[in-house]
Amino acid sequence: MPLRFRTIIEPFRIKSVEPIRFSTQEERERALLAAGYNLFNLRAEDVIVDLLTDSGTGAMSAEQWAGMMRGDESYAGSRSFFRFDEVVRELTGFRHVIPTHQGRAAERILFAEALRPGDVVPNNTHFDTTRANVEHDGAEALDIVIAEGREPASEHPFKGNVDVARLEETIARVGRDRVPLVMVTVTNNSGGGQPVSLANLREVHAACERHGISLLLDACRFAENAWFIKRREPGQAHRPARDIAREMFRLADGATFSAKKDGLSNIGGFLAMNDDDLARRCRNNLILTEGFPTYGGLAGYDLEAIAQGLIEVTDEDYLQYRARSVEYLWEKVDRAGVPLVRPPGGHAVYLDAKGLLPHIPPREFPAQSLSVELYRAGGVRSVEIGSVMFGKPRPGGGEEPAAMELVRLAIPRRVYTQSHIDYVAEVVAAVADRARELRGYRIADAPAELRHFTARFEPL
Ligand code: F0G
């Protein structure tokens, strides 16, 4: 019998390293003041472990870098485009593949061509740029995730699932003509990186088909979603993750994709679909701002990096390591008694600031307070996903708070080692130990849309 070992190790060696500058708490205090207590305004050099996002922050493989050297920079008909197109079509099965410089460009083009003012777009949960792009075209972005998906403590294995009864009710209420498309975000980023089951996708597919409505995936983290299906959904354990991913795409009529996540690339994305007429209009729109349809705002070498990334990301040694590294941080934070979104998600650990800081009301932004403190104490940069990001002005004054007050610790792909994560867990536990001392914030200055990127705050 061969020996079996329990430790799941990184399925790679490190060939190139990037130094981290260690700042002191006094330096970080000054940096916070200059940044208006908005972590988006920090210089990345002033951060020790950067968990702001898993988007575009991953490490590329030797094969991706090699592909970049092979990139064909021809304006039209580049060889790199055809490689990209072939890989995306093998994976997704969609007829038309339109490269874009990142996910939100795909969203902007799709919605500009598919939506009219007054339309309604149901989605499990819209990501912030997706919501902003829907609203920009005068349509309503409606979140219809299952009830468990809004409860941090609920242990449902597929908390990203769409509430299909609400989908049916919405279509009946507003009328099929005002619902030009339905989106499903895999994994459900704003709801905790939680997956959508294959069974749920099949039901949403059936409902859309019955009403003749297109179903589009926001597929940024499709491979992580496929891995959760393999591990958590009855009857799926024997299937290769890539096979599950292929089925997910085949249940949809199209997808928007940010290659900065499960494309394992630093930039890029695509819009893909089967509808010939919509694709023609989207390509024309693309030419206005992104570029010719065989590069769409990307360099030929980016297309190579994405094509290779889309092959590597469904490797099961990689996916097992990826899921385990998120779960590892999740377990340490959970053991320290910090309330968090359960069960572990695919790309991040989400701390429940409402649970940890009950003395800070939502109007004083508890998740902002917690994320600032993680930076101040240990140089760890996270992101607020709460009322700063999703709060809405109430008609007649005041604000409607977000459903949850979360702090996301997003893990870049193939970047940090276990000791970096041990350090993060130690910082989180130390801040949680003195949670009572944390205070709220007020917004000193903010733009009307997507304010979390640029708002400035003052401590209360
Ligand atoms: N959809 C989802 C679910 C996302 O998470 C993102 C980006 C996008 C669309 C937009 O893609 O950034 O390439 O334009 N999420 C990043 C994050 C920014 O930090 O979660 P993009």
Side-chain angles (χ1 to χ4, degrees), residues 307-454:
Q308 181 61 27
L310 285 173
I311 292 169
E312 293 176 10
V313 76
T314 49
D315 177 272
E316 299 204 350
D317 291 334
Y318 162 75
L319 284 171
Q320 168 168 268
Y321 141 79
R322 172 71 178 155
R324 179 59 197 149
S325 50
V326 173
E327 186 183 59
Y328 177 81
L329 175 60
W330 187 94
E331 282 171 1
K332 287 201 151 208
V333 172
D334 189 41
R335 256 185 256 126
V338 180
L340 33 59
V341 174
R342 323 182 72 87
H347 64 293
V349 172
Y350 294 69
L351 311 179
D352 176 8
K354 214 187 261 181
L356 183 67
L357 307 172
H359 59 287
I360 304 181
R363 65 172 185 282
E364 295 176 6
F365 307 120
Q368 182 69 16
S369 172
L370 179 56
S371 67
V372 167
E373 203 53 33
L374 294 174
Y375 174 71
R376 190 191 332 255
V380 174
R381 177 156 67 169
S382 55
V383 73
E384 195 263 12
I385 302 194
S387 291
V388 175
M389 191 180 275
F390 289 122
K392 276 260 156 67
R394 268 195 194 113
E399 272 210 7
E400 194 61 48
M404 297 190 275
E405 302 292 340
L406 305 177
V407 169
R408 183 183 75 172
L409 302 167
I411 316 291
R413 293 169 182 77
R414 309 190 289 202
V415 169
Y416 290 116
T417 64
Q418 187 167 338
S419 50
H420 290 113
I421 298 299
D422 287 335
Y423 172 81
V424 171
E426 199 182 334
V427 172
V428 172
V431 168
D433 267 349
R434 37 181 208 77
R436 295 284 322 163
E437 294 166 27
L438 269 58
R439 291 289 168 266
Y441 283 79
R442 64 174 282 273
I443 291 183
D445 179 36
E449 266 180 73
L450 294 175
R451 66 181 179 184
H452 52 286
F453 289 126
T454 55

Side-chain angles (χ1 to χ4, degrees), residues 52-55 102-105 107 127 129-130 185 187 189 218 220-221 258 260-261 268 347 408:
L52 180 72
T53 179
D54 63 320
S55 179
Q102 60 183 84
R104 67 198 68 182
E107 295 163 6
F127 180 67
T129 60
T130 323
T185 306
T187 58
N189 182 11
D218 176 342
C220 297
R221 299 176 181 85
S258 166
K260 303 173 74 171
K261 288 84 167 170
H347 64 293
R408 183 183 75 172

Side-chain angles (χ1 to χ4, degrees), residues 213-255:
I213 298 174
S214 298
L215 170 59
L216 279 100
L217 294 185
D218 176 342
C220 297
R221 299 176 181 85
F222 73 94
E224 290 166 5
N225 199 92
W227 182 251
F228 281 122
I229 289 174
K230 183 181 170 88
R231 298 307 285 261
R232 294 183 185 170
E233 191 157 348
Q236 300 298 324
H238 69 285
R239 294 177 69 186
R242 194 168 188 88
D243 195 42
I244 296 172
R246 294 175 84 241
E247 180 176 349
M248 286 165 48
F249 282 113
R250 278 158 185 78
L251 287 167
D253 304 293

Side-chain angles (χ1 to χ4, degrees), residues 285-312:
N285 189 314
L286 178 90
I287 293 171
L288 288 181
T289 56
E290 295 277 301
F292 189 73
T294 60
Y295 73 87
L298 295 169
Y301 54 65
D302 295 321
L303 294 167
E304 294 280 348
I306 298 166
Q308 181 61 27
L310 285 173
I311 292 169
E312 293 176 10

